[in-house]
């Protein structure tokens, strides 16, 4: 299935490029015959895009692939498909950066570059289990080190990250690592939805796993807001929270063993909460920007679930009223049941007080029958919506669930229906649902409320601890990250030969590596100065060596001396001075230094350095822009004339 998704995404990318070229030609030409030809080509391309969209929608709607193999009859869950991405070749850009920034031979790091590319390639097709989650987390953690090593604050590495939207296949390309991170987070959320959908929810253990998976899916989806619009992410997070709420209801149903009056009322309110949450998701899907984005089968499934759980809510209300009559002792002492019933409805129904209805078996039977009537109507509406969607009609398990619950309500209604019942038909009021605030420190304000009653298990979104997946920096040989990173500027490696003097040398630092500086008799003459970093002793790398190890290496050198490889961290003024000296070869170095430093302070705007920068800005071909060179996000396809 993932291979089919990749093929469709590539075809969509090709067709959209063809459409962009045809549109440019249509606007540029003045020849009517050419315009007619281009218009015909545009209609053909748009037709292909529409067919590809329908094929991808059918792929996204194939929910049965991710469902459990258990024989239990449960309503299917809605999983997300993974975002597809193209391969990225880091070889040239990382090699250039190592040579330019770190001053090292880039060929020595071919193994590390290949390891990074292999990890990204494996991340594209993770397994649908814990190993796949850990693989994505491992790559995400490696992106932190990659960002620190090779992505300075004001420039990009030069690698292009191509990702495709999960639902529409629309391509997007950026050079920022944040885009890569956000896409990986989305895939983590999508993978959690697939794992949650595959859980066997016929037992509490499987339900708990499904709840945890959908909670974590919502967390990752609400953090990956880079190439997707805010409404679409809001819709997806609400959908995941609704599925968590559905699992919570299933768990309450399994763990509620007693058939007490208040227990049945509680089940009715739990089902009503699930219905309201799915109704909120359906309203979000019906927004103008979401209508063409969400697959029709998803919207149909959400509407079916909203009607289905509302019908179940009325069914449990009828069971509580008709099957559980209070005894004479309970009529006087069961204040809890009376209080629960008084708070059961949104509005107090017309007629006798609820306390009187509670103690009158005939009035309870009539009210219960009214609830069953509404339950049957809601069941039939759910089955009608189900029959309108071709993809849902293929899901046998969903058809079985709807048929069984509908038959159960009809059988119960037949038991209560009497031939001599000629009284006026009662209307069942709406069942009360309180509002439950989620953990607002994790959920964004625009969607941190969901309807529901208080339960022991709240569908809160819990953050995932990435530190559980330990990784080692692939480019660790470059040195400690606190110093040897893309944010620091280093001069070229200098090799200094030291001869041991009469007094030898003495260590004066107890710092951790690589902050080494030593005092010896010939220090000044050799060119060492305070703040230099020793990276090698006699050709042996010591970036990660401990203090005592470096001291031992120095003391154990021969009488001929030792060769130290050192680098110096440059401040901004030092960099300007070095550039001025390089530009002013053959002229007076001191005058060049004064000119550049003066220009840096705003005293001279006509220096050679400033002129060179100005010429680079005016030459459009030499300046690189941050961001993407090609971007086709979801927001760029709002043209009403476009068919896709």
């Amino acid at each position: 299935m993932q291979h089919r998704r990749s093929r469709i995404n590539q075809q969509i990318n090709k067709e959209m490029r063809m459409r962009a070229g045809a549109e440019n030609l249509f606007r540029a030409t003045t020849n009517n015959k050419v315009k007619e030809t281009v218009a015909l080509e545009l209609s053909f391309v748009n037709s292909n895009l529409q067919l590809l969209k329908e094929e991808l929608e059918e792929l996204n709607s194939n929910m049965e692939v991710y469902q459990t193999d258990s024989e239990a009859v449960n309503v299917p869950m809605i999983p997300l498909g993974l975002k597809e991405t193209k391969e990225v070749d880091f070889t040239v850009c990382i090699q250039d950066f190592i040579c330019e920034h770190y001053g090292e031979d880039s060929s020595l790091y071919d193994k590390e570059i290949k390891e990074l590319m292999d990890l990204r390639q494996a991340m594209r097709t993770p397994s649908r289990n814990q190993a796949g989650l850990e693989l994505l987390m491992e790559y995400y953690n490696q992106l932190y080190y990659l960002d620190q090593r090779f992505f300075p604050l004001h420039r990009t590495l030069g690698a292009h990250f191509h990702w495709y939207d999960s639902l529409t296949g629309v391509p997007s390309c950026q050079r920022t690592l944040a885009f890569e991170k956000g896409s990986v987070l989305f895939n983590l959320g999508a993978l959690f939805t697939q794992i949650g959908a595959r859980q066997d929810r016929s037992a509490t253990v499987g339900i708990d796993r499904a709840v945890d998976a959908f909670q974590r899916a919502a967390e990752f989806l609400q953090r990956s807001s880079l190439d997707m619009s805010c409404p679409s992410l809001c819709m997806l997070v609400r959908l995941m929270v609704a599925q968590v709420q559905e699992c919570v209801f299933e768990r309450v149903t399994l763990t509620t063993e007693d058939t007490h009056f208040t227990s049945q009322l509680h089940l009715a309110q739990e089902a009503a909460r699930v219905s309201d949450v799915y109704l909120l998701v359906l309203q979000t899907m019906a927004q103008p920007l979401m209508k063409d984005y969400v697959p029709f089968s998803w919207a149909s499934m959400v509407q079916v679930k909203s009607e289905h759980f509302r019908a179940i809510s009325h069914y449990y209300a009828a069971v509580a009223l008709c099957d559980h009559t209070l005894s004479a002792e309970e009529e006087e002492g069961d204040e809890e049941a009376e209080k629960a019933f008084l708070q059961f409805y949104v509005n107090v129904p017309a007629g006798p007080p609820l306390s009187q209805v509670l103690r009158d078996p005939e009035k309870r039977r009539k009210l219960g029958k009214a609830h069953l009537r509404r339950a049957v109507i809601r069941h039939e509406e759910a089955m009608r919506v189900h029959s309108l969607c071709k993809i849902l009609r293929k899901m046998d398990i969903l058809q079985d669930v709807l048929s069984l619950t509908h038959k159960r309500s009809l059988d119960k209604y037949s038991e209560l229906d009497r031939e001599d019942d000629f009284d006026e038909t009662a209307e069942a009021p709406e069942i009360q649902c309180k509002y439950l605030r989620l953990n607002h420190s994790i959920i964004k304000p625009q969607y941190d409320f969901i309807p529901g009653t208080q339960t022991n298990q709240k569908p809160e979104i819990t953050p995932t601890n990435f530190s559980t997946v330990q990784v080692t920096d692939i480019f660790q040989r470059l040195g400690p990250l606190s110093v040897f990173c893309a944010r620091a500027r280093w001069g070229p490696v200098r090799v200094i030969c030291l001869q041991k003097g009469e007094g030898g040398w003495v260590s004066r630092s107890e710092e951790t590596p690589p902050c080494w500086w030593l005092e010896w008799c010939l220090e000044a003459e050799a060119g060492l100065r305070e703040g230099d970093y020793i990276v090698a002793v006699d050709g042996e790398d010591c970036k990660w060596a401990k203090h005592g190890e470096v001291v031992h290496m120095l003391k154990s050198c021969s009488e001929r001396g030792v060769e130290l490889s050192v680098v110096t961290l440059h401040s901004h003024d030092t960099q300007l001075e070095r550039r001025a000296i390089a530009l002013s070869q053959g002229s007076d170095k001191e005058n060049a230094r004064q000119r550049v430093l003066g220009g840096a302070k705003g005293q001279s705007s006509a220096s050679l350095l400033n002129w060179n920068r100005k010429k680079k800005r005016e030459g459009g071909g030499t300046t690189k822009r941050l961001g993407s060179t090609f971007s086709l996000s979801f927001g760029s396809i709002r043209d009403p004339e476009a068919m896709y």
Side-chain angles (χ1 to χ4, degrees):
M1 181 176 291
Q2 205 64 32
H3 177 73
R4 288 179 57 196
R5 182 186 298 276
S6 175
R7 177 183 59 80
I8 295 172
N9 288 335
Q10 292 175 10
Q11 290 178 343
I12 289 176
N13 188 15
K14 178 182 176 181
E15 295 292 338
M16 292 189 72
R17 288 177 178 272
M18 290 178 60
R19 188 178 70 176
E23 288 174 346
N24 292 336
L25 179 59
F26 187 85
R27 287 190 294 265
T29 185
T30 57
N31 190 313
N32 292 331
K33 180 169 281 190
V34 173
K35 280 197 170 186
E36 291 178 2
T37 305
V38 173
L40 182 62
E41 182 67 24
L42 276 174
S43 65
F44 177 74
V45 170
N46 285 332
S47 299
N48 286 344
L49 281 173
Q50 183 64 28
L51 292 175
L52 289 171
K53 176 187 176 182
E54 293 175 358
E55 187 177 353
L56 185 61
E57 180 178 338
E58 183 177 358
L59 198 63
N60 288 321
S61 304
N62 197 351
M63 308 172 201
E64 287 188 305
V65 175
Y66 302 107
Q67 305 304 318
T68 178
D69 297 330
S70 172
E71 296 181 357
V73 180
N74 288 319
V75 181
M77 294 294 183
I78 300 178
L80 290 176
L82 301 184
K83 291 167 66 71
E84 278 291 323
T85 179
K86 289 184 178 180
E87 294 184 10
V88 177
D89 190 353
F90 293 105
T91 306
V92 176
C93 51
I94 290 182
Q95 284 180 345
D96 291 346
F97 194 86
I98 291 176
C99 292
E100 173 192 346
H101 184 80
Y102 293 100
E104 296 194 30
D105 185 1
S106 59
S107 62
L108 300 176
Y109 293 89
D110 290 344
K111 180 181 177 182
E112 283 84 350
I113 296 174
K114 185 179 185 303
E115 181 180 352
L116 175 64
M117 294 173 61
D118 290 344
L119 177 61
R120 190 182 189 277
Q121 180 66 20
M123 175 273 307
R124 296 175 61 188
T125 54
S127 56
R128 269 62 175 176
N129 50 29
Q130 185 63 30
L133 294 172
E134 292 178 358
L135 177 62
L136 286 172
M137 290 184 188
E138 178 184 357
Y139 179 68
Y140 183 84
N141 288 342
Q142 281 294 344
L143 290 180
Y144 165 78
Y145 293 111
L146 193 69
D147 185 25
Q148 297 295 316
R149 294 286 190 190
F150 304 110
F151 283 81
L153 293 177
H154 303 296
R155 57 174 286 194
T156 61
L157 182 63
H160 292 78
F161 302 104
H162 297 259
W163 287 86
Y164 298 90
D165 187 271
S166 174
L167 297 181
T168 64
V170 175
S172 183
C173 176
Q174 296 185 25
R175 290 185 291 177
T176 59
L177 202 63
F179 177 61
E180 178 87 345
K181 291 180 179 178
S183 300
V184 174
L185 288 177
F186 182 94
N187 273 2
L188 271 167
L191 196 55
F192 268 115
T193 66
Q194 297 175 12
I195 293 175
R198 290 190 65 86
Q199 299 303 317
D200 181 6
R201 305 196 310 277
S202 61
T204 56
V205 176
I207 292 177
D208 291 340
R209 290 174 180 171
V211 167
D212 180 71
F214 286 121
Q215 285 177 340
R216 297 188 186 280
E219 176 219 351
F220 287 119
L221 291 173
Q222 66 111 13
R223 288 169 58 185
S224 59
S225 54
L226 287 164
D227 68 326
M228 300 181 64
S229 63
C230 185
S232 64
L233 286 172
C234 175
M235 179 272 297
L236 291 176
V237 172
R238 283 178 172 173
L239 176 60
M240 295 306 114
V241 173
Q243 296 190 134
V244 170
Q245 195 66 69
E246 181 180 349
C247 294
V248 171
F249 168 73
E250 292 174 342
R251 194 180 197 286
V252 172
T253 305
L254 285 177
T255 55
T256 303
E257 298 179 355
D258 64 283
T259 57
H260 193 267
F261 177 76
T262 54
S263 299
Q264 299 302 310
L265 293 183
H266 181 63
L267 286 174
Q269 288 186 306
E270 288 289 339
R273 185 204 313 192
V274 178
S275 175
D276 282 355
V277 177
Y278 274 115
L279 182 61
L280 181 63
V281 177
L282 185 63
Q283 293 171 355
T284 308
M285 290 180 172
Q287 297 299 319
L289 291 178
M290 291 290 99
K291 285 183 179 179
D292 298 329
Y293 182 72
V294 179
F296 176 71
S297 60
W298 284 24
S300 300
M301 173 68 87
V302 169
Q303 187 176 357
V304 166
K305 288 192 175 188
S306 180
E307 298 291 343
H308 170 71
F309 285 103
R310 182 60 63 179
I312 291 178
S313 173
H314 286 290
Y315 171 79
Y316 279 116
V319 170
L321 289 167
C322 301
D323 292 357
H324 308 287
T325 15
L326 299 178
S327 62
E329 294 78 10
E330 290 176 327
E331 288 182 1
E332 298 179 357
D334 199 348
E335 297 179 357
E336 180 184 354
E338 183 174 350
K339 181 180 179 181
F341 189 60
L342 292 176
Q343 298 177 354
F344 187 64
Y345 295 115
V346 176
N347 298 313
V348 179
L354 291 178
S355 57
Q356 182 180 347
V357 173
L358 188 63
R359 290 172 174 80
D360 189 332
E362 183 61 24
K363 289 184 173 60
R364 288 178 59 170
R365 186 188 70 82
K366 289 183 178 180
L367 184 56
K369 185 177 177 181
H371 277 292
L372 280 175
R373 188 181 300 110
R374 293 197 64 177
V376 171
I377 293 174
R378 293 286 187 150
H379 280 307
E380 291 175 349
E381 178 63 16
M383 297 174 73
R384 185 191 69 84
V385 175
H386 169 266
S387 64
L388 294 177
C389 181
K390 179 181 67 175
I391 295 176
L392 294 188
R393 288 199 301 268
K394 298 178 181 178
M395 302 181 67
D396 296 334
I397 187 171
L398 180 59
Q399 178 68 44
D400 293 342
V401 171
L402 298 179
S403 299
L404 287 174
T405 52
H406 179 240
K407 184 177 183 302
R408 183 180 63 176
S409 297
L410 277 178
D411 293 343
K412 190 69 177 176
Y413 186 82
S414 300
E415 293 177 8
L416 299 177
D417 195 16
R418 296 178 182 175
E419 294 182 0
D420 58 344
D421 190 0
F422 296 102
D423 294 338
E424 184 179 354
T425 303
E427 285 294 331
E430 288 294 335
I431 298 172
Q432 172 68 39
C433 286
K434 297 179 182 179
Y435 282 82
L436 174 68
R437 176 185 285 270
L438 292 183
N439 188 346
H440 60 81
S441 64
I442 302 172
I443 298 292
K444 294 182 180 179
Q446 61 263 32
Y447 46 84
D448 70 342
F449 288 96
I450 65 169
T453 58
Q454 297 292 338
T455 58
N456 294 329
Q457 185 172 5
K458 301 177 182 179
E460 295 181 350
I461 299 177
T462 54
T464 298
N465 185 11
F466 279 86
S467 62
T468 57
V469 180
Q470 298 290 336
V471 298
T472 303
D473 181 13
I474 293 178
F475 295 90
Q476 185 181 18
R477 289 197 295 130
L478 287 172
L481 194 61
S482 59
V483 178
F484 296 92
C485 62
R487 276 66 171 175
R489 295 298 302 175
W490 298 91
V493 178
R494 310 192 319 273
V495 178
I496 297 174
C497 297
L498 291 180
Q499 300 292 331
K500 185 183 296 186
E502 295 180 0
W505 42 66
V506 183
S507 170
R508 299 198 323 184
S509 174
E510 297 299 332
E511 302 276 346
T512 55
C515 304
W516 304 108
W517 54 276
L518 304 170
E519 178 188 22
W520 47 82
C521 55
L522 299 178
E523 174 183 326
E525 289 80 355
L528 283 172
R529 49 186 181 270
E530 185 175 321
D532 280 351
Y533 289 84
I534 301 176
V535 296
V537 177
D538 279 338
E540 183 177 350
D541 188 279
C542 63
K543 296 190 188 78
W544 287 97
K546 296 181 180 179
H547 174 77
E549 295 174 353
V550 175
V551 173
H552 177 72
M553 293 168 67
L554 291 172
K555 289 183 177 180
S556 61
C557 67
S558 61
E559 293 298 329
R560 62 177 178 83
V562 63
E563 287 188 353
L564 298 181
S565 299
V566 299
V567 293
T568 304
L569 178 65
H570 295 293
S571 64
H572 181 66
D573 291 339
T574 309
Q575 293 178 42
L576 289 177
E577 180 179 356
R578 291 177 65 251
R579 291 181 65 182
I581 294 173
L583 290 171
S584 59
Q585 291 180 356
S587 63
D588 183 72
K589 295 183 179 180
E590 183 62 26
N591 291 337
R593 176 178 180 275
Q594 295 297 331
R595 285 199 305 270
V596 176
L597 291 180
K601 298 177 181 178
Q603 298 173 354
S604 172
S605 59
S607 67
L608 178 61
L609 183 61
N610 286 338
W611 175 87
N612 190 36
R613 288 180 176 176
K614 181 178 179 182
K615 293 293 287 182
K616 283 186 177 181
R617 286 196 300 269
E618 292 176 352
T622 59
T623 304
K624 293 183 179 180
R625 289 179 51 193
L626 291 177
S628 64
T629 58
F630 159 86
S631 180
L632 290 172
S633 61
F634 174 70
S636 65
I637 57 173
R638 300 177 185 173
D639 185 1
E641 297 179 0
M643 296 180 64
Y644 184 74

